[in-house]
Amino acid sequence: MNNYSLKTAFAVLLLFSTSVLAKDTRPNIVVILSDDAGYSDIGAFGGEIDTPNLDELAQNGMRFSQFYSNARCSPTRASLLTGVDAAHVGFGGGVVGDWVRELPFSAHRGRISYDQPLISELLASNGYQTMMAGKWHLGGSYIKKDPEKLALLWEKTHTAMTLTPKEMELDYLALPPQRGFQKSFVFAGAQGNLFYTPEDKHPYYEGNERATLEYADNYDMYCYAKSPAEKSRYGACHGKSGKAFYATDGMTDRAVDMIKDAAKQPSPFFLYAAFRAPHKPLQAPKELVQKYLTRYQDLQILLDERYKGLVASGLFPKDAGSKSVRQILSGLTDEKREELRLIAAVHAAMMEKIDDNVGKIISQLKASGEYDNTLVLYFSDNGAAAHTNGLMNVPYRGVKALLWEGGARTHAIASWPGVIPANSISDNLVWVGDIVPTLLDITQTPFPEKFHGTTPRELDGRSVYTTFKGEQQAPPEAIFFNDKGQQSVVYQGRWKLLIEPGWYLQTLEAPGIAHELYDLDADPAETNNIAESHPKLVEKLVAMSERWKDENSIVDYSKIIKLKPRDPY
């Protein structure tokens, strides 16, 4: 090769290497999910819990007054990661991703479908580093690694189903490392202790291998348990002191390490950080619990101040009423109030720990020089759960797994310096299924025509990038919710119809089918049922809901309860 050819070859090689190593300027994406947090828990949403890091995130970004989850853990996660109605990927009707609670119906399978792409897979195919730390809860197992040990349990709990090699493989393919997450540190299920000591057996996985936990911090452990069953499963850590792994801290430590490593690479990254708090079991450092027990001397003051805080912040209209502020504590005995005060204190302590760890993630983004080019999304998977008696969802009615606003509407924050207007509030309706199409829009990632050999469902959500930029955006025609015999639709962002709202066994006791209709523009807290005065609108929305149920292959809950008679809620 002559000298000219050598120079030419070197120049081509240099150009190629430079292009390969050039920094991809698309934004990093960090999605942070809390588990069973109340709408008004955090300071930026009127709450009294100390959440300075989330409040700062809100100050630097946008709060959403009308952000909807799917009202329960797994269905929300399913739509969050796929952008489609949860039933199309196995999580319709309030089904959750616990291995022993799976069902033989496609819409209620309880295991994430292998035929629909996850955002992790789509972004990974388009040059993103993809990482996850925290709670999965979308089904799957490693039964194929030890079928002899697990087959009997599978057959005992999977009614009307047959264990086959294909089933075992699909279980394996439902886990994060097989679904586009290049790095993962996960808790696969829903409930389990948040504290683990070195002597305890733990359920965490790093990739496809059992994780090695770090027990670097000392804790005085407060582990609230009420019933004998809860005390047996979750009460043993109460009163213990010493080195332990605490889930909220431990998963964040892994997430921070992932950010450190990812920031060294030229390609952008996607991190999904899914906290398990403040979901039961109620476990937190003792000093924080004592702090909130002192603060919560009068729960009515808590309710009143949360309501006033939301109104003052512009997140709830001052001329709209809220029955929950006055009714939540009505009729409670002193004993029940004291029990609720303790539950609220542990819940608040768990929320403050979430805030501490959000601060660690933000600090690492800044330390790595990535913060200014990172979109951070934070929200809860649903409202606070029933054990809080609705206390933490004020001003909204209802709790997790119920379809009133307290179960489905959650606090939400988005921050992206230079793009999302600082200290802004959006009243646009945003649904959790809008996250995937928005991220595809922002990252210029195409949606595939074929995936795993099949044609995936087109996205049910829509991009809300214009909302992120502070612009007005019309609501979708309708968003639907379905949870164990309940049905709901929000039409044109204004009219909300509920069909058989409430726990299934309770609705069975009342004759006929209950309908509740609310005008969310005038009555966001659902205080005035106007169904009787709008019969034609009720009829129209019932028909829309029935069509949606058919399209989504929703199975009547009376059939499901026959298969799982001990799991009515």
Side-chain angles (χ1 to χ4, degrees):
M1 183 180 291
N2 60 36
N3 194 43
Y4 177 79
S5 298
L6 282 172
K7 288 181 179 180
T8 302
F10 179 76
V12 171
L13 180 62
L14 181 63
L15 180 64
F16 175 76
S17 62
T18 301
S19 65
V20 170
L21 295 175
K23 182 74 173 178
D24 189 328
T25 58
R26 291 177 298 171
N28 308 305
I29 298 158
V30 175
V31 176
I32 302 172
L33 194 67
S34 56
D35 193 351
D36 293 3
Y39 184 86
S40 50
D41 270 349
I42 63 179
F45 278 72
E48 74 298 323
I49 301 172
D50 292 328
T51 55
N53 296 296
L54 286 167
D55 297 347
E56 184 178 359
L57 193 70
Q59 184 70 28
N60 295 329
M62 176 179 287
R63 286 168 290 171
F64 299 89
S65 66
Q66 200 173 1
F67 184 97
Y68 283 99
S69 68
N70 284 340
R72 194 186 282 265
C73 302
S74 298
T76 291
R77 286 165 169 74
S79 290
L80 167 63
L81 295 182
T82 65
V84 303
D85 283 316
H88 289 289
V89 287
F91 289 93
V95 168
V96 291
D98 298 317
W99 191 59
V100 298
R101 299 169 76 181
E102 293 179 350
L103 291 163
F105 309 112
S106 62
H108 307 258
R109 183 62 178 81
R111 181 181 66 199
I112 195 72
S113 170
Y114 192 59
D115 296 332
Q116 190 73 26
L118 274 55
I119 186 62
S120 48
E121 294 167 303
L122 297 173
L123 291 179
S125 70
N126 196 29
Y128 269 73
Q129 303 173 74
T130 54
M131 311 170 294
M132 178 186 173
K135 175 178 172 177
W136 179 239
H137 208 203
L138 288 174
S141 78
Y142 291 103
I143 187 173
K144 79 170 193 175
K145 290 187 174 184
D146 195 356
E148 292 185 5
K149 180 180 179 181
L150 296 175
L152 287 177
L153 178 60
W154 194 98
E155 290 168 355
K156 180 180 179 181
T157 56
H158 289 64
T159 310
M161 301 168 73
T162 302
L163 182 62
T164 64
K166 181 180 179 181
E167 280 294 320
M168 290 190 283
E169 184 65 18
L170 287 173
D171 255 24
Y172 179 73
L173 294 174
L175 295 167
Q178 286 67 252
R179 299 310 306 267
F181 288 103
Q182 297 152 354
K183 291 184 178 180
S184 60
F185 173 78
V186 300
F187 177 91
Q191 292 191 194
N193 286 300
L194 277 78
F195 285 113
Y196 287 95
T197 67
E199 295 77 31
D200 297 326
K201 184 179 179 181
H202 71 81
Y204 284 86
Y205 273 76
E206 190 111 39
N208 285 316
E209 302 298 328
R210 185 79 68 171
T212 300
L213 302 188
E214 295 183 9
Y215 306 93
D217 297 321
N218 286 290
Y219 297 93
D220 292 327
M221 306 174 207
Y222 196 103
C223 304
Y224 174 83
K226 181 183 175 183
S227 69
E230 285 183 340
K231 288 178 179 178
S232 174
R233 294 181 65 186
Y234 308 123
C237 58
H238 186 65
K240 287 186 176 181
S241 298
K243 290 190 179 298
F245 172 93
Y246 183 59
T248 308
D249 293 334
M251 62 152 279
T252 306
D253 291 341
R254 289 293 205 278
V256 165
D257 288 341
M258 291 175 186
I259 292 172
K260 286 180 183 177
D261 292 341
K264 298 173 185 176
Q265 305 301 319
S267 54
F269 58 82
F270 167 71
L271 170 66
Y272 174 38
F275 290 108
R276 289 184 52 222
H279 192 291
K280 292 176 70 176
L282 298 175
Q283 299 179 348
K286 180 180 178 180
E287 67 273 13
L288 286 179
V289 177
Q290 293 296 337
K291 168 183 172 179
Y292 286 100
L293 276 173
T294 300
R295 186 171 296 185
Y296 293 165
Q297 295 296 324
D298 189 328
L299 294 181
Q300 188 59 55
I301 291 177
L302 180 155
L303 290 168
D304 292 340
E305 293 302 315
R306 284 192 174 206
Y307 178 76
K308 291 176 184 176
L310 277 168
V311 171
S313 68
L315 287 161
F316 190 80
K318 62 181 179 180
D319 55 348
S322 172
K323 289 182 179 179
S324 64
V325 175
R326 290 295 165 192
Q327 292 182 347
I328 285 175
L329 302 177
S330 177
L332 293 184
T333 63
D334 290 344
E335 182 182 1
K336 285 291 184 181
R337 283 193 181 222
E338 185 60 25
E339 179 184 300
L340 185 56
R341 187 173 78 93
L342 178 56
I343 288 171
V346 187
H347 176 102
M350 296 171 80
M351 283 301 301
E352 182 169 328
K353 286 301 292 180
I354 286 178
D355 184 80
D356 288 344
N357 284 280
V358 169
K360 292 177 187 177
I361 291 173
I362 300 301
S363 294
Q364 186 55 52
L365 289 171
K366 291 179 178 178
S368 300
E370 299 291 343
Y371 176 76
D372 287 340
N373 192 37
T374 300
L375 166 62
V376 179
L377 301 174
Y378 163 79
F379 49 94
S380 178
D381 61 349
N382 41 248
H387 59 268
T388 69
N389 202 41
L391 189 72
M392 323 310 274
N393 294 330
V394 166
Y396 296 109
R397 173 188 182 189
V399 295
K400 165 189 175 178
L402 300 182
L403 300 182
W404 290 290
E405 294 291 278
R409 192 186 296 216
T410 82
H411 58 231
I413 300 169
S415 174
W416 184 4
V419 178
I420 293 177
N423 196 25
S424 59
I425 292 174
S426 176
D427 296 322
N428 294 349
L429 189 154
V430 178
W431 171 56
V432 66
D434 296 335
I435 301 300
V436 166
T438 304
L439 297 185
L440 298 184
D441 188 4
I442 289 170
T443 63
Q444 303 164 43
T445 300
F447 189 78
E449 293 183 4
K450 293 288 183 181
F451 182 75
H452 292 161
T454 65
T455 301
R457 178 177 174 82
E458 292 185 9
L459 299 175
D460 293 308
R462 77 255 173 79
S463 174
V464 291
Y465 190 14
T466 56
T467 290
F468 283 6
K469 291 186 286 187
E471 301 173 16
Q472 290 293 314
Q473 188 170 2
E477 180 189 33
I479 56 172
F480 296 89
F481 308 103
N482 182 277
D483 197 299
K484 297 191 174 182
Q486 310 165 79
Q487 183 74 20
S488 178
V489 55
V490 177
Y491 177 63
Q492 295 180 344
R494 177 182 178 182
W495 304 101
K496 181 176 179 182
L497 177 73
L498 295 105
I499 306 170
E500 290 291 80
W503 301 118
Y504 178 75
L505 295 185
Q506 294 172 1
T507 65
L508 280 180
E509 296 176 0
I513 297 176
H515 294 104
E516 295 181 9
L517 179 69
Y518 299 100
D519 179 352
L520 296 179
D521 283 357
D523 182 24
E526 299 167 305
T527 65
N528 182 28
N529 178 10
I530 56 175
E532 289 188 3
S533 60
H534 293 73
K536 290 185 178 180
L537 181 57
V538 169
E539 183 180 356
K540 174 180 179 177
L541 298 184
V542 166
M544 288 175 61
S545 296
E546 289 301 314
R547 287 195 298 272
W548 181 87
K549 285 173 64 176
D550 289 342
E551 181 191 345
N552 283 263
S553 301
I554 297 296
V555 175
D556 189 275
Y557 195 62
S558 62
K559 296 180 180 179
I560 292 174
I561 204 69
K562 290 179 181 178
L563 294 179
K564 299 285 184 179
R566 299 181 64 185
D567 188 30
Y569 299 123

